[in-house]
Amino acid sequence: GPPSVLLTRLEGWPTSFPANLTEYRESVLQEMEWTSDLDKHTAEIAPWVWHHQGDADRLQLLAQSADPETSRKAREEMWRLKIMPTLEPRTNASFVVLIRNREMNEFRATMRQLEDRFNHKFHYPYLFLNDEPFTDEFMRTIAASTTSNVTFALIPRDHWSVPEFIDESQALMARHKMAADNIIYGGSLSYRHMCRFNSGFFYKHPLLKDIDWYWRVEPGVEFYCDLDYDPFKYMQDNGKLYSFVITLKELEPTIPSLWDHALAHMLVNNRSSDLMPFFVSPDGGYNLCHFWSNFEIASLNWFRSPAYESFFQSLDRAGGFFMERWGDAPVHSIAAGMLLNHDQVHFFDDIGYKHADFIHCNRGSLADPILKCQCPLAFENFDDNEGSCLPKFKSFKPSLWTTRDTAEAIRMARGRRLFKLA
Ligand code: GDP
Ligand code: MN
C-alpha cells in the first residue's frame, strides 16, 4: 500500500515498526509488573510511547538549514503541502487528549476543525493519553490528520486505579445505588477513574513534565470560529492560569459532600481568594456553578503547585471520587475559587464551541469577518439557558473571601445540619 505515517518510539527504542504490533504489545504487557513507583512506571510505559514528528516542524527546521539546497527544497515542500510557517513566538504548550480507541472518528472531526480554525498557523503538538494501548489504526490515522507532532502514550496504572484506602465493596454499593437513582454515569467505575485522573493525575504524566500550558480537547467537540491569535500566549502575557468557555451548574447528587470537604480543606490551610464568592450561595453552600472542563486552556504549573496538590490529596482521601461521583469540573473550579483570583481566570468569549448539546457562540461575533463563525443556523446559546452561570460570572462582585468566611460558611452549614463531616 501507500507509505503510511511512520511512528517512532520516543527514546531508546528501535525505530522500525514491529510487524505485528498487537501481538508485540501483548507480550510486553504480560512481562510488565506494575509497581507503585512512578519512576518505574515511566520506564515501564516507555514502550508505550509512540511519536510522530509532523511535517510542519520537520520542514521548518530543514528550511533553516545552512545548506541552501536543503533549505530551498524544504521551503518548496512546505509550499506544496500548504504548511504555513509557525506564527512565532510559540509558548511551551500542548493539546492533551484523553481518549479511547473507539472514539477515533469523533476526534478526527474535532481535529479537522481545530486544525483549520487555529492550529495550522501554530502547529502545537498533541499528546494522546489512554488507559489502554492505542491501536495501530488509531495512531496512524490520527498522526496523518495533522502536520503537527503527535505523541501517543499509556497512562501509568497508578493514575487509573482504585487506591488502597477505598473499600471496594462499599464503592460498588455506592455505584449500584447511584445507578438505581438514575444518576448519569452513576454506575460506572471507568467514568470515576476518568474524573479522578483529570482531577489529580493528567498533569503528572511524565510526558508533560516540561510543558507549561495545555489545551484539553475531547472527541466530538466542535469549534465554530477562527482563532487568529495564540490563546496560550494570551494567557501567559495576561497573568491567566485557567480558562473556560461554558459555565453551568453541577448535578447535586454527584457531589453531596464535595463542598464540605473543600471548605474543611480551606479552613485548615487558610486559603483566601476573591473568586470564591462566584461559587457560594447566600446560605454558605455551593451554588453548583463550575467551569465546564471538557474545554480547558490552563497552566500545568498551577495544577502542579503544592497548593493544588494538597487540595487534590484532601479530596482523594475523602473518597468522594468513588463513594460519590465527583467530576473533575467542579474539582478544578472549586480549586480555582480557592486558589486563584478572579482576574487569573479567563472567559474565552471568542471561541465558538459545542460539547454534547451545549453551544457557546458569541451572538455579537456571528457577522464578524475575522472570527468567521459558522454556528448552526438555529441554535440556542447556552449563555441564555437558565442553567448557565455566565451571567453570574459577569456580574458577581469579586471580594476577598478569607478563613473567617470559610468558618462562617461551615457554621451556617452545621446550623442547617447539612455539614456532613465530623
Ligand atoms: P462527559 O463529557 O462527562 O459525558 O464524559 P466523556 O465520555 O466525554 O469523557 C470525558 C473524556 O474522557 C473524553 O475525552 C473521553 O474520551 C475520555 N474518557 C472517558 N472514559 C474513558 C476511559 O475509560 N478511557 C479513556 N482512555 N478515556 C476515557
Ligand atoms: Mn465529553
Side-chain angles (χ1 to χ4, degrees):
S4 57
V5 176
L6 178 73
L7 296 158
T8 51
R9 291 187 184 287
L10 203 57
E11 249 163 36
W13 288 82
T15 51
S16 68
F17 213 66
N20 187 339
L21 191 65
T22 311
E23 212 170 84
Y24 173 78
R25 274 210 199 86
E26 274 161 12
S27 72
V28 178
L29 188 61
Q30 277 163 15
E31 281 166 24
M32 245 189 264
E33 229 187 86
W34 299 101
T35 71
S36 58
D37 180 324
L38 183 61
D39 286 341
K40 278 191 194 144
H41 276 305
T42 311
E44 281 166 354
I45 64 174
W48 304 94
V49 178
W50 294 86
H51 182 69
H52 177 249
Q53 187 182 29
D55 289 328
D57 282 7
R58 186 178 59 81
L59 291 172
Q60 287 184 93
L61 207 67
L62 288 175
Q64 289 162 19
S65 165
D67 172 31
E69 185 55 13
T70 306
S71 168
R72 189 192 61 76
K73 272 192 182 151
R75 279 182 281 118
E76 204 175 278
E77 188 67 358
M78 282 177 68
W79 182 257
R80 197 181 65 78
L81 295 172
K82 299 190 174 64
I83 292 175
M84 201 174 169
T86 300
L87 295 184
E88 295 285 359
R90 215 161 47 173
T91 62
N92 183 10
S94 175
F95 294 106
V96 175
V97 185
L98 173 69
I99 189 167
R100 291 162 286 208
N101 286 302
R102 64 171 185 269
E103 294 171 307
M104 179 183 85
N105 284 327
E106 284 95 320
F107 197 77
R108 281 180 73 205
T110 293
M111 198 170 182
R112 184 73 274 129
Q113 298 181 19
L114 196 54
E115 288 290 314
D116 291 350
R117 291 306 198 164
F118 166 68
N119 201 41
H120 71 288
K121 288 169 281 193
F122 295 92
H123 310 292
Y124 276 106
Y126 290 80
L127 173 61
F128 292 89
L129 299 175
N130 196 346
D131 58 310
E132 290 178 7
F134 283 111
T135 61
D136 189 12
E137 187 200 8
F138 184 99
M139 295 195 288
R140 287 181 189 274
T141 307
I142 293 294
S145 304
T146 176
T147 55
S148 289
N149 296 350
V150 287
T151 305
F152 304 92
L154 196 62
I155 294 168
R157 179 66 63 87
D158 266 13
H159 294 186
W160 195 280
S161 51
V162 182
E164 85 288 346
F165 52 81
I166 295 294
D167 181 324
E168 300 227 21
S169 64
Q170 274 186 22
L172 182 66
M173 289 201 307
R175 291 202 293 282
H176 282 316
K177 171 97 176 54
M178 290 179 83
D181 291 346
N182 282 320
I183 294 166
I184 184 169
Y185 302 119
S188 170
L189 177 60
S190 71
Y191 193 84
R192 286 174 170 80
H193 283 313
M194 182 275 288
C195 291
R196 181 170 176 262
F197 174 78
N198 280 326
S199 297
F201 295 99
F202 76 94
Y203 52 86
K204 294 172 188 153
H205 195 282
L207 292 175
L208 289 173
K209 189 162 64 70
D210 302 317
I211 313 270
D212 296 327
W213 302 94
Y214 75 97
W215 180 337
R216 171 167 157 190
V217 188
E218 285 195 6
V221 305
E222 301 204 47
F223 295 97
Y224 292 129
C225 309
D226 273 11
L227 192 57
D228 67 343
Y229 63 92
D230 183 338
F232 301 115
K233 188 86 170 54
Y234 174 85
M235 302 275 291
Q236 189 165 284
D237 290 352
N238 291 280
K240 308 291 183 186
L241 294 175
Y242 190 85
S243 70
F244 70 95
V245 173
I246 290 173
T247 172
L248 73 178
K249 296 208 170 102
E250 182 56 297
L251 303 166
E252 203 278 335
T254 65
I255 50 160
S257 73
L258 173 62
W259 183 250
D260 294 351
H261 285 288
L263 287 181
H265 176 87
M266 280 189 86
L267 186 73
V268 172
N269 291 277
N270 209 3
R271 301 284 181 220
S272 62
S273 98
D274 72 356
L275 176 60
M276 198 62 185
F278 170 58
F279 298 101
V280 188
S281 55
D283 64 2
Y286 180 29
N287 62 20
L288 305 176
C289 285
H290 64 287
F291 309 123
W292 221 13
S293 59
N294 44 73
F295 168 97
E296 255 178 2
I297 297 176
S299 160
L300 287 165
N301 297 320
W302 174 54
F303 279 102
R304 288 183 293 233
S305 67
Y308 182 89
E309 183 58 20
S310 90
F311 177 57
F312 170 71
Q313 290 301 334
S314 290
L315 296 186
D316 199 30
R317 287 276 156 187
F321 290 108
F322 295 99
M323 304 311 297
E324 296 178 3
R325 208 225 64 196
W326 294 352
D328 52 282
V331 170
H332 289 187
S333 297
I334 295 172
M338 199 167 80
L339 303 173
L340 303 182
N341 281 322
H342 79 285
D343 58 4
Q344 294 175 304
V345 174
H346 182 61
F347 165 45
F348 274 109
D349 197 3
D350 47 359
I351 294 186
Y353 181 71
K354 179 186 188 186
H355 172 272
D357 289 334
F358 298 156
I359 291 175
H360 167 76
C361 216
N362 183 334
R363 296 252 175 223
S365 71
L366 287 180
D368 186 315
I370 295 184
L371 289 170
K372 302 192 190 77
C373 295
Q374 194 168 25
C375 314
L377 279 182
F379 73 98
E380 191 205 337
N381 207 330
F382 189 73
D383 305 351
D384 305 327
N385 186 296
E386 66 174 309
S388 172
C389 292
L390 190 63
K392 178 182 264 306
F393 186 81
K394 288 181 169 169
S395 65
F396 88 98
K397 257 186 123 66
S399 66
L400 196 65
W401 173 280
T402 64
T403 300
R404 204 192 249 174
D405 300 302
T406 306
E408 175 64 8
I410 292 174
R411 199 189 57 76
M412 286 164 78
R414 281 226 170 89
R416 298 192 309 277
R417 292 203 286 162
L418 288 174
F419 200 72
K420 291 160 194 85
L421 311 184

